[in-house]
Amino acid sequence: RPNKLRQLLNEGKPSIGTHMIVPWPGMAEIIGHAGVFDYIEYVGEYSTFTPESLENIGRAIDLFPNMSAMMKVEEQTRGFIAQRSIDAGIQNVLFTDVRSAEDARECVRLVRSETPASGGVHGAGMRRSVGYVLGGGSQSWVESLNDTVIALMIEKKGAMDELEEILAVEGVDMLQFGPTDYSVSI
């Protein structure tokens, strides 16, 4: 399905998102029915969830073609959660605790497909995003991973020290500033 957030970024238009911290898909539906948000950021860093609840959130988002979702993942499990979220139908990822340009490059690699052109490590899986088998490894699957919006939290002193280098990393689409963690790190 089209990635609304990617479309807006490609068109140079602003986007409006909201946080969701409860893994109840009904909340995603309530937000979708409001008709004012382009995306929901599921704040997985601060919430509980299971792979099944991520799939149910993905199903709820599918009800609203003019809205997409983003998963906020924490540092220690970033690869596993980012890939499972994408495979569940949550089209975009916000990575926390990025400290360097090398961290930023790793975040991009985790999301992109493992093709020579994409340079990623996300392999084809038998999950919801591909009909549990039907589209795994297809060109449209590769393109959907390339359309995944990759956002990074800038919330550590190291990230501020390397901000120019992080901004130059190909594949990074958005930044969010985290003032609380940043203040702790300095």
Side-chain angles (χ1 to χ4, degrees), residues 6 86 91-92 111-112 144-150 173:
R6 168 59 62 203
I86 292 166
Q91 296 171 303
N92 309 294
V111 169
R112 299 297 183 239
S144 73
L145 291 180
N146 288 339
D147 282 345
T148 298
V149 172
I150 299 172
D173 299 296

Side-chain angles (χ1 to χ4, degrees), residues 126-182:
M126 294 175 19
R127 298 197 179 100
R128 183 175 178 277
S129 65
V130 295
Y132 298 99
V133 155
L134 302 174
S138 68
Q139 184 61 36
S140 62
W141 173 77
V142 170
E143 290 169 9
S144 73
L145 291 180
N146 288 339
D147 282 345
T148 298
V149 172
I150 299 172
L152 307 176
M153 290 295 300
I154 301 300
E155 56 187 341
K156 304 294 182 185
K157 181 181 184 314
M160 287 299 288
D161 291 345
E162 287 194 34
L163 188 57
E164 292 298 321
E165 291 89 349
I166 290 170
L167 291 170
V169 172
E170 186 176 340
V172 173
D173 299 296
M174 295 173 64
L175 299 177
Q176 286 189 22
F177 182 69
T180 303
D181 276 339
Y182 178 69

